Amino acid sequence: MERKIQIAINAEKPHDLCDFWAAVLDFDVVSDPAFVQSMVDQGFATIDDTVTHNGVLTWADGAACVDPEGVLPRMFFQRTPDPKTGQNRMHFDVQVGEERRQDEVDRIIGMGATKLWDGHQGPHSWVTLADPEGNEFCVS
């Protein structure tokens, strides 16, 4: 039986966080403004259910990005009224290799991430960052 996994992430600003992670992972932002407009035209949604983000009509409460190669799971960012209040119970490890790690950390910080700390365990090391909404992740 074929199975697919979508990673759903709560966000205060789902479109901005989707853009951030799409850039970090070299994913494509999912966009289908014709479909969104057709749902409004057919009465399945209202214009209040939509927003224009980066010049594109999209759903107001969610945004998604996908691996262009179709290997990694789709990421879906959904609006939540609740702010992040504690440490993540699950987080991403972006693995780029020791030789590329610092360049990647610098690139991601330049996109709006915050460095939290350097981590080490045995022969392994990583850098822990926070995305623009405070979700922790590691670059190793």
Side-chain angles (χ1 to χ4, degrees):
M1 171 171 41
E2 181 180 330
R3 294 178 195 227
K4 292 186 179 187
I5 293 175
Q6 170 175 274
I7 299 169
I9 301 162
N10 293 341
E12 291 180 54
K13 297 178 181 177
H15 298 90
D16 293 343
L17 203 55
C18 182
D19 291 345
F20 172 83
W21 279 102
V24 168
L25 299 173
D26 294 323
F27 275 27
D28 296 328
V29 173
V30 175
S31 174
D32 192 349
F35 174 75
V36 174
Q37 185 62 57
S38 74
M39 292 295 98
V40 172
D41 294 344
Q42 295 175 60
F44 292 111
T46 69
I47 200 66
D48 291 336
D49 296 323
T50 70
V51 66
T52 299
H53 179 72
N54 292 337
V56 177
L57 184 68
T58 189
W59 297 113
D61 290 334
C65 60
V66 294
D67 175 5
E69 297 177 15
V71 176
L72 299 173
R74 179 180 193 256
M75 297 178 69
F76 178 70
F77 300 84
Q78 58 192 7
R79 185 179 316 278
T80 180
D82 304 317
K84 182 180 179 304
T85 58
Q87 185 179 23
N88 300 9
R89 292 294 302 255
M90 184 175 87
H91 69 267
F92 297 113
D93 284 336
V94 179
Q95 299 175 343
V96 297
E98 187 174 345
E99 65 284 347
R100 289 187 42 218
R101 183 174 52 228
Q102 190 58 54
D103 288 342
E104 191 67 4
V105 166
D106 292 343
R107 182 181 79 88
I108 295 170
I109 289 172
M111 296 179 340
T114 303
K115 182 176 179 180
L116 299 178
W117 63 80
D118 293 309
H120 306 277
Q121 185 175 39
H124 305 288
S125 61
W126 62 90
V127 178
T128 301
L129 303 174
D131 72 17
E133 290 200 11
N135 301 302
E136 298 92 1
F137 66 100
C138 297
V139 179
S140 61

